[in-house]
């Protein structure tokens, strides 16, 4: 029997041919497919698409030879994800259809809990492939199958936790806006199951996603979660992002640092302001950057941006937020004058009431 650790060592060293030659010695058919897919994605990361596709072809060959229907479903779904990563969405879609067809065949021979578990893996790969709606739909079907299965409580709990873990892993692969949907569903599941440690961990991931809503790649989010703030900022500056994208990313990272009370974010905000070119901004970008600047103790800079907003309601909301930020900075008279300039009368009245409450509480 082939030692999987030896193959992984060869892969890490970039000895693809040696690694591939040893795959045939792996006893488990699904594991054989998954190792080939991993090798293919590693080769692809070095820019060799042609060789990567050849290895995926080998993985598909072994997938077709798998006898166990459940394992075949997982293998096809894993392949579907890999082809999506390589940009071959036609092949990806076909393989996911085959995976779901295998799951349907399981209904003749397997219990609801077994089908639910396998469907969870298919949903996981669908999510990582960017097929968000399909993934979430299949996760819900897997959830229903497990919940309604006739198995013991402990076994049911274990399967539901595994399903939650797969949702989280799907989110970990996606950018913030897409990841949020998986994290929030997983958090709801862990919370109801009273798995407090997992719920708390996902809750932190949710907060990071909501803070890095536009720039939150998996790499940046993970760096912030681990407290590697300088690394995150360096990744932004070294990236091929345009200037305005770098501005948003640096401000979002700074906003997270403020939330976790790391008060060295000021330098990062200043760097973002150096990069800021108002002429490059359009629509919601202006409103969002103005919001971030007001939250990060730069209300006067935020006001310059907010003054350019055309939409009356959005400008009014921005002015209100900046006025409240000015109060925090001790700029009471400036805040009071700004509130008077809020164009929407309803929002102006709300701001006046909040201003009154703050003054009375002093």
């Amino acid at each position: 029997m082939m030692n999987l650790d030896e193959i992984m060592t060869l892969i890490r060293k970039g000895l693809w041919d040696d690694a591939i030659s040893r795959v045939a010695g792996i006893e488990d058919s699904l594991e054989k497919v998954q190792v080939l897919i991993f090798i293919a994605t590693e080769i692809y990361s070095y820019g060799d698409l042609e060789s990567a596709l050849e290895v995926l072809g080998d993985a598909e060959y072994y997938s077709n030879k798998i006898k166990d229907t459940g394992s075949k479903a997982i293998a096809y779904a894993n392949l579907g994800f890999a082809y999506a990563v390589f940009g071959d969405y036609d092949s990806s879609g076909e393989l996911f259809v085959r995976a779901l067809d295998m799951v349907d065949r399981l209904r003749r021979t397997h219990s609801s809990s077994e089908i639910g578990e396998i469907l969870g893996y298919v949903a996981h790969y669908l999510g990582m492939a960017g097929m968000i709606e399909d993934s979430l739909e299949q996760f819900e079907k897997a959830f229903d199958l497990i919940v309604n299965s006739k198995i013991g409580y402990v076994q049911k709990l274990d399967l539901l936790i595994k399903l939650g873990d797969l949702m989280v892993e799907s989110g970990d692969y996606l950018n913030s806006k897409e990841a949020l949907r998986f994290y929030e569903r997983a958090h709801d599941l862990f919370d109801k199951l009273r798995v407090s440690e997992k719920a708390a961990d996902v809750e932190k991931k949710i907060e990071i996603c909501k803070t890095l809503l536009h720039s939150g790649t998996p790499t940046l989010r993970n760096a912030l979660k681990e407290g590697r703030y300088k690394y995150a900022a360096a990744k932004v500056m070294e990236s091929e992002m345009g200037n305005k994208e770098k501005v948003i990313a640096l401000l979002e990272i700074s906003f997270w640092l403020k939330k976790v009370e790391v008060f060295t974010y000021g330098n990062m905000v200043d760097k973002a302001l150096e990069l800021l070119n108002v002429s490059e901004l359009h629509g919601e970008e202006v409103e969002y950057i103005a919001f971030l600047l007001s939250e990060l103790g730069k209300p006067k800079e935020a006001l310059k941006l907010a003054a350019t907003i055309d939409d009356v309601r959005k400008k009014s909301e921005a002015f209100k937020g900046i006025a409240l930020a000015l109060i925090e900075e001790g700029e009471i008279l400036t805040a009071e004058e700004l509130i008077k300039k809020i164009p929407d009368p309803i929002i102006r009245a709300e701001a006046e009431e909040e201003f009154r409450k703050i003054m009375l509480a002093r």
Side-chain angles (χ1 to χ4, degrees):
M1 189 171 112
M2 177 53 57
N3 186 328
L4 188 58
D5 289 337
E6 291 177 14
I7 296 178
M8 298 306 290
T9 299
L10 291 171
I11 294 169
R12 282 190 289 270
K13 290 180 178 179
L15 301 172
W16 320 123
D17 291 338
D18 287 347
I20 292 166
S21 69
R22 301 194 187 194
V23 168
I26 298 174
E27 190 172 312
D28 182 87
S29 297
L30 176 58
E31 196 171 83
K32 190 180 297 184
V33 171
Q34 291 175 326
V35 169
L36 282 170
I37 291 172
F38 182 68
I39 294 170
T41 54
E42 285 290 294
I43 293 172
Y44 178 71
S45 71
Y46 282 85
D48 189 350
L49 176 59
E50 186 178 346
S51 296
L53 287 172
E54 284 181 14
V55 178
L56 275 194
D58 292 340
E60 191 167 349
Y61 167 78
Y62 283 117
S63 296
N64 292 333
K65 294 177 74 68
I66 294 174
K67 294 180 180 179
D68 179 74
T69 307
S71 295
K72 185 172 282 192
I74 295 170
Y76 284 153
N78 197 344
L79 276 166
F81 158 65
Y83 275 111
V85 170
F86 296 173
D88 186 349
Y89 297 106
D90 289 337
S91 295
S92 174
E94 289 172 10
L95 282 156
F96 278 120
V97 168
R98 287 159 72 182
L100 291 170
D101 181 57
M102 291 296 110
V103 174
D104 284 338
R105 294 187 193 184
L106 291 172
R107 300 182 193 281
R108 307 168 197 162
T109 55
H110 288 61
S111 67
S112 295
S113 60
E114 290 170 324
I115 298 169
E117 181 179 3
I118 291 164
L119 186 56
Y121 283 105
V122 175
H124 166 58
Y125 287 121
L126 276 165
M128 292 200 302
M131 301 178 189
I132 309 302
E133 298 301 332
D134 291 330
S135 172
L136 291 168
E137 180 184 348
Q138 298 306 325
F139 267 127
E140 291 305 323
K141 288 181 179 178
F143 175 81
D144 290 341
L145 284 165
I146 293 169
V147 166
N148 296 316
S149 64
K150 297 177 180 179
I151 56 175
Y153 172 77
V154 173
Q155 188 182 357
K156 190 176 289 190
L157 181 64
D158 287 344
L159 286 175
L160 289 173
I161 290 172
K162 181 181 286 187
L163 200 62
D165 287 339
L166 287 170
M167 290 178 190
V168 172
E169 287 174 24
S170 297
D172 288 345
Y173 194 82
L174 302 167
N175 290 335
S176 288
K177 289 182 181 178
E178 295 170 331
L180 263 175
R181 300 181 67 184
F182 291 91
Y183 289 157
E184 287 173 343
R185 183 65 184 94
H187 181 270
D188 179 61
L189 181 59
F190 290 143
D191 190 51
K192 287 177 178 173
L193 296 175
R194 298 183 181 179
V195 189
S196 56
E197 188 175 338
K198 287 182 180 290
D201 188 65
V202 180
E203 189 171 2
K204 185 173 182 179
K205 292 186 177 190
I206 289 170
E207 286 306 309
I208 294 174
C209 276
K210 287 181 176 179
T211 308
L212 271 69
L213 198 58
H214 292 271
S215 63
T217 62
T219 300
L220 286 185
R221 295 202 314 271
N222 191 53
L224 293 192
K225 187 171 183 291
E226 294 177 352
R228 295 181 293 130
Y229 309 128
K230 290 183 179 178
Y231 170 81
K235 289 295 286 185
V236 170
M237 295 307 297
E238 293 165 4
S239 73
E240 296 180 359
M241 294 180 185
N243 262 12
K244 66 182 178 182
E245 286 79 16
K246 286 182 179 179
V247 168
I248 291 172
L250 290 173
L251 291 177
E252 286 185 333
I253 293 169
S254 300
F255 195 21
W256 176 254
L257 295 188
K258 181 183 178 182
K259 287 182 176 182
V260 296
E261 300 184 345
V262 177
F263 296 113
T264 57
Y265 61 82
N267 292 337
M268 210 177 295
V269 176
D270 291 338
K271 182 62 180 177
L273 287 170
E274 288 175 16
L275 296 173
L276 181 60
N277 183 345
V278 178
S279 65
E280 294 181 345
L281 306 179
H282 305 282
E284 292 183 359
E285 295 167 348
V286 177
E287 301 152 27
Y288 187 55
I289 291 175
F291 161 75
L292 288 171
L293 287 172
S294 65
E295 291 290 326
L296 289 164
K298 298 288 184 180
K300 292 178 181 177
E301 289 82 353
L303 184 56
K304 291 176 185 177
L305 285 176
T308 68
I309 299 172
D310 293 324
D311 185 283
V312 171
R313 186 186 64 79
K314 290 178 179 178
K315 177 182 281 189
S316 299
E317 290 286 1
F319 277 15
K320 176 185 171 184
I322 293 166
L324 296 175
L326 282 165
I327 295 170
E328 287 185 18
E329 295 290 314
E331 301 275 357
I332 307 300
L333 292 177
T334 307
E336 192 172 15
E337 286 301 312
L338 180 57
I339 289 171
K340 292 176 183 177
K341 295 177 182 177
I342 293 176
D344 186 300
I346 295 174
I347 296 172
R348 184 168 63 248
E350 291 173 357
E352 288 170 345
E353 178 62 18
E354 289 192 43
F355 179 81
R356 187 183 69 81
K357 288 179 179 177
I358 292 170
M359 290 299 101
L360 288 173
R362 282 174 171 257

